[in-house]
Amino acid sequence: MYLSKEYKAGIFAEFAGSATNTGSTEGQVALFTKRIAHLTEHLKKNRKDFGTQRALQMLVGKRRSLLAYLYKKDINRYRAIIKGLGLRDIIK
């Protein structure tokens, strides 16, 4: 599986501060970004997989709401996660 326990722990250690801090907003956004990238590659090969397409849309919505929360809560953390993941060219 592409999201093994060690892989997730590495993502959370890099973006959330520690491998056990799985509830942090930054860690969840980073994990969602990795999953979105994986599903996007899958959909490039299997364009008629509508179940995966719906799952991808739901993940993008969850990530967007978490980023909106982080933007309202702490703009500096928002800017750091956007820059760290390379999500946007223009940072607010």
Side-chain angles (χ1 to χ4, degrees):
M1 187 172 166
Y2 75 100
L3 285 177
S4 66
K5 215 175 202 182
E6 296 81 21
Y7 184 72
K8 285 183 188 179
I11 290 172
F12 284 115
E14 182 180 352
F15 291 100
S18 76
T20 58
N21 191 6
T22 59
S24 73
T25 307
E26 291 93 345
Q28 289 181 11
V29 168
L31 184 64
F32 286 165
T33 302
K34 301 295 183 185
R35 289 176 63 193
I36 286 169
H38 177 77
L39 290 179
T40 302
E41 289 301 316
H42 172 78
L43 281 174
K44 285 180 182 176
K45 298 175 201 160
N46 307 294
R47 61 185 185 93
K48 292 190 177 184
D49 189 353
F50 299 114
T52 302
Q53 185 178 1
R54 184 171 191 280
L56 175 64
Q57 290 171 345
M58 289 172 44
L59 268 178
V60 169
K62 284 183 184 180
R63 182 180 72 179
R64 185 175 179 186
S65 66
L66 282 174
L67 285 172
Y69 165 77
L70 197 56
Y71 182 78
K72 287 189 288 187
K73 181 101 169 149
D74 188 358
I75 189 74
N76 294 326
R77 287 172 46 198
Y78 171 81
R79 288 180 177 153
I81 192 73
I82 292 296
K83 187 175 183 179
L85 293 173
L87 289 179
R88 293 181 175 85
D89 294 334
I90 301 170
I91 298 176
K92 294 181 183 178

